[in-house]
Amino acid sequence: MDNVTLGGSGLQVSRIAFGTWQLSPAWGGFDEREAIAAIRYAREQGVNFFDTAQAYGFGESERALGRALRDDLDHRRDEVIIATKGGVRVDENGARVRDSSPQWLRDGLEKSLEALGVDHIDLYQVHWPDSSTPFAETGEALQQMVDEGKIRHVGVSNFGPGQIDELSRTRPVE
């Protein structure tokens, strides 16, 4: 399979990414054996880019992906590109809330690392813009996690061009 360069990251990724939003009971359930077989088949076909998010079952999707790619993640980590997203949490009423505060991003990243069974995320994305947290605070937190080696590259999901520009003033979105 042909690879392409992902944005400004320099990451070489397959033209097709395997998305895992459906690997969560929140979306009606799934057969984990079939999901793992599909992920492994995609890998055999040359897919090296896998996208997930903490909000996809709050760990369920990430754990399933980690189990499916365990051999690659343990022995060929540099051949697999893992993208995940943070910045969504469940509040006391069970509602999903956008939260890209430094504390929540840090907590979410640590949970994602544990769920996937990895020591770093190749592409960590802020899932949704959070109007209650200044982009500068979000950017500073992301940069700190990059500096620590827990994130290699930063991205966003569901952001408009102006929001990307604003976040990029503190931490470039790749």
Side-chain angles (χ1 to χ4, degrees):
M1 178 171 297
D2 292 335
N3 287 344
V4 297
T5 302
L6 182 64
S9 72
L11 293 171
Q12 294 298 303
V13 299
S14 50
R15 288 185 179 271
I16 298 172
F18 192 107
T20 64
W21 67 266
Q22 73 280 17
L23 304 185
S24 159
W27 305 109
F30 67 100
D31 182 316
E32 186 169 326
R33 289 176 309 211
E34 289 180 10
I36 287 173
I39 292 165
R40 290 180 178 163
Y41 182 75
R43 187 71 186 107
E44 290 168 10
Q45 301 308 305
V47 173
N48 76 339
F49 189 28
F50 296 87
D51 178 74
T52 190
Q54 183 189 21
Y56 301 166
F58 291 93
E60 291 294 326
S61 174
E62 291 170 325
R63 281 189 288 278
L65 183 60
R67 284 191 287 274
L69 295 175
R70 187 80 273 136
D71 187 56
D72 281 308
L73 295 173
D74 288 346
H75 300 103
R76 293 169 295 285
R77 178 63 180 94
D78 59 336
E79 295 177 17
V80 177
I81 307 300
I82 302 292
T84 195
K85 296 175 276 307
V88 175
R89 64 177 170 81
V90 175
D91 71 9
E92 60 280 351
N93 299 316
R96 291 175 184 260
V97 176
R98 298 175 187 184
D99 185 347
S100 60
S101 65
Q103 179 181 348
W104 181 250
L105 286 178
R106 165 80 54 191
D107 183 61
L109 174 65
E110 295 298 336
K111 288 178 179 171
S112 292
L113 291 169
E114 182 179 340
L116 287 158
V118 297
D119 65 354
H120 70 276
I121 301 297
D122 300 295
L123 173 63
Y124 191 75
Q125 302 158 88
V126 180
H127 207 150
W128 287 93
D130 169 10
S131 61
S132 65
T133 302
F135 285 123
E137 287 182 25
T138 299
E140 288 170 8
L142 293 166
Q143 184 61 54
Q144 184 177 37
M145 292 183 277
V146 169
D147 293 344
E148 294 168 2
K150 293 185 177 195
I151 298 172
R152 289 180 58 206
H153 302 280
V154 170
V156 295
S157 178
N158 304 301
F159 276 55
Q163 295 165 321
I164 294 170
D165 289 343
E166 189 175 344
L167 178 58
S168 289
R169 284 187 213 124
T170 306
R171 176 33 166 118
V173 173
E174 299 171 80

